[in-house]
Amino acid sequence: MNINKMYRSLIVGSVLSLTTLAPAMAETTLRYAEATPNRGARAAALQYFADQLKDQSGGDMQLDIHWGGALLKYSAILGGVSSGTADMGTVLSAYEPQKMRALSVGDIPVPQSDAWVGMRAMYELMTTNEQLQQQFDKNDVVYITNYTTSEMQFECAGDVRIEKIEDFAGKKIRASAIYAKILDEVGANMVNFVYSEVYQALDTGLVDCSGGYLYAMRAFKTPEVTTSVALMNWGQIAGFAMVMNKWTWDELSAEQQKLMRKVGSEMVDFYAQKLISDNQDVTEKLPTGELGNKVEVIKWSEANRAKLFAQSDKYIDAWIGDMNKAGLDGKAVWDEYQALLHKYQAELDEKDYPWNRS
């Protein structure tokens, strides 16, 4: 370890026990910054990661998770992990679009919206593509594994039903990122507010429909104030990852780094299984009234979904252009990402999910 790295590690004090500094103590405790509370599918996935890391290391590696933004809010996590305030944390490219441009490839709406397919493609891309790894290095972080929001759907109140993209015209809609830009272009009246306000906005008529996720509908009890859900499976936010401070990563042994990667990969399957199961359960219960109103589930045809994804083309070109301006080969990265999405979609179609295989 060079003197500069040792000095930085000592100042932040985030790694509580390092074998390189205290050979008699094998345990390495890593401080983790998580902006959301300890509940729901993703919290379960993070806890799974922590438990598996501890178990598979024989107790040598542990996470000290700071939930609910107690250590760092989402907007501060990348900077906090880069500087060593935390050893690890959860980041979204939307909060750092320039610094995390490599991760933002996962936020562009693509037809392969399955949670497992998306996370698997992102995990392989981020752990094998040297261009992208160098982008993380520039921010003094290392990619560990991926999360996702799962497929975006639209829940609506009153007599509003969304069956095709043209139905958004003139409606008051809440959405974010590229999804909001696309809907604005097709004539929707966009309204912006945080997700915790969706229930009230739908209940009072502030919006006609809101983009969201099936598992979140149950968590935020929005079926109590909605009448229909457009099951569009419109991409997913996969620019959503776990990262580690680069100095901390470099201080780990080769075996510890390998274990970190292994557990990260296992977490993808664990989280995908839980997300997919939760979403299917909500889909089945919406029409029954068990979650609130008897909510109609409107399944979009593949033809209507194709029209939706055709709207993404200009944003793909813009992303490639932004990557090129940053000195990267944007087209090569995009093509590799597309190939991986098709690879894992084909594996899913042929073999089913890993947890369903004999």
Side-chain angles (χ1 to χ4, degrees):
M1 180 190 299
N2 64 41
I3 297 300
N4 189 40
K5 286 185 178 179
M6 181 180 290
Y7 176 71
R8 287 170 169 170
S9 295
L10 288 171
I11 283 186
V12 298
S14 51
V15 179
L16 302 182
S17 304
L18 287 170
T19 56
T20 53
L21 298 178
M25 297 177 65
E27 181 184 305
T28 298
T29 299
L30 304 163
R31 186 158 51 179
Y32 193 105
E34 171 55 49
T36 58
N38 186 12
R39 60 174 182 268
R42 202 173 60 76
L46 175 53
Q47 189 60 57
Y48 171 87
F49 180 93
D51 292 342
Q52 289 300 309
L53 190 65
K54 181 178 180 180
D55 291 347
Q56 295 187 40
S57 68
D60 289 346
M61 299 181 73
Q62 300 186 39
L63 295 192
D64 174 21
I65 305 173
H66 295 253
W67 298 97
L71 181 59
L72 296 165
K73 305 296 185 185
Y74 267 138
S75 58
I77 289 179
L78 178 62
V81 175
S82 296
S83 66
T85 300
D87 298 296
M88 302 177 69
T90 302
V91 298
L92 288 98
S93 62
Y95 285 96
E96 297 280 0
Q98 296 305 310
K99 292 182 178 180
M100 286 285 101
R101 58 167 52 89
L103 196 60
S104 68
V105 67
D107 291 346
I108 300 173
V110 293
Q112 297 84 7
S113 55
D114 179 85
W116 181 79
V117 170
M119 284 193 289
R120 273 281 151 232
M122 287 291 287
Y123 181 86
E124 182 167 342
L125 182 67
M126 298 297 156
T127 56
T128 60
N129 186 289
E130 292 185 3
Q131 288 191 79
L132 302 185
Q133 290 172 344
Q134 288 169 5
Q135 288 296 297
F136 284 97
D137 284 350
K138 287 181 179 179
N139 290 289
D140 290 318
V141 297
V142 175
Y143 171 95
I144 301 299
T145 191
N146 223 81
Y147 299 111
T148 181
T149 58
S150 80
E151 307 92 328
M152 180 174 287
Q153 323 293 1
F154 276 78
E155 49 188 334
C156 304
D159 59 358
V160 178
R161 301 175 75 258
I162 303 293
E163 296 184 274
K164 54 189 181 302
I165 193 168
E166 292 83 0
D167 293 340
F168 282 106
K171 304 297 190 304
K172 295 173 292 185
I173 306 292
R174 179 208 174 271
S176 58
I178 292 174
Y179 301 87
K181 294 178 181 179
I182 290 174
L183 293 180
D184 182 61
E185 289 169 358
V186 300
N189 299 315
M190 304 309 299
V191 184
N192 186 34
F193 48 85
V194 297
Y195 202 85
S196 60
E197 297 174 0
V198 167
Y199 184 106
Q200 184 178 6
L202 288 164
D203 190 33
T204 61
L206 177 62
V207 294
D208 296 308
C209 307
S210 176
Y213 312 98
L214 289 163
Y215 62 89
M217 295 175 194
R218 173 157 52 195
F220 286 86
K221 301 183 179 181
T222 51
E224 296 177 357
V225 294
T226 55
T227 54
S228 69
V229 168
L231 209 64
M232 301 158 60
N233 294 332
W234 190 12
Q236 56 188 304
I237 302 296
F240 195 0
M242 177 189 297
V243 296
M244 175 180 276
N245 175 277
K246 182 67 165 60
W247 314 320
T248 304
W249 173 264
D250 290 343
E251 288 162 348
L252 298 178
S253 68
E255 291 76 15
Q256 288 175 319
Q257 291 178 354
K258 184 177 180 180
L259 178 60
M260 192 73 70
R261 290 275 188 238
K262 176 177 181 289
V263 175
S265 178
E266 292 168 352
M267 192 204 78
V268 165
D269 289 349
F270 175 90
Y271 182 41
Q273 181 178 10
K274 185 159 182 58
L275 265 186
I276 291 164
S277 176
D278 286 357
N279 285 349
Q280 182 60 38
D281 185 60
V282 170
T283 302
E284 293 171 356
K285 288 178 177 176
L286 282 170
T288 69
E290 185 175 339
L291 302 180
N293 295 329
K294 290 186 177 181
V295 179
E296 179 186 11
V297 175
I298 303 168
K299 295 184 179 180
W300 275 39
S301 69
E302 286 304 311
N304 282 327
R305 288 186 76 237
K307 289 182 182 179
L308 193 66
F309 291 106
Q311 301 292 323
S312 297
D313 290 348
K314 71 162 84 172
Y315 295 101
I316 296 169
D317 292 340
W319 183 87
I320 290 172
D322 182 62
M323 292 288 280
N324 291 342
K325 288 178 182 177
L328 302 166
D329 188 340
K331 184 64 163 57
V333 174
W334 178 256
D335 288 347
E336 184 178 350
Y337 178 51
Q338 290 297 294
L340 289 169
L341 286 168
H342 284 94
K343 168 188 170 180
Y344 286 107
Q345 185 64 57
E347 181 179 332
L348 174 61
D349 293 342
E350 180 183 349
K351 299 180 180 179
D352 203 350
Y353 295 111
W355 52 90
N356 290 335
R357 301 171 195 171
S358 55

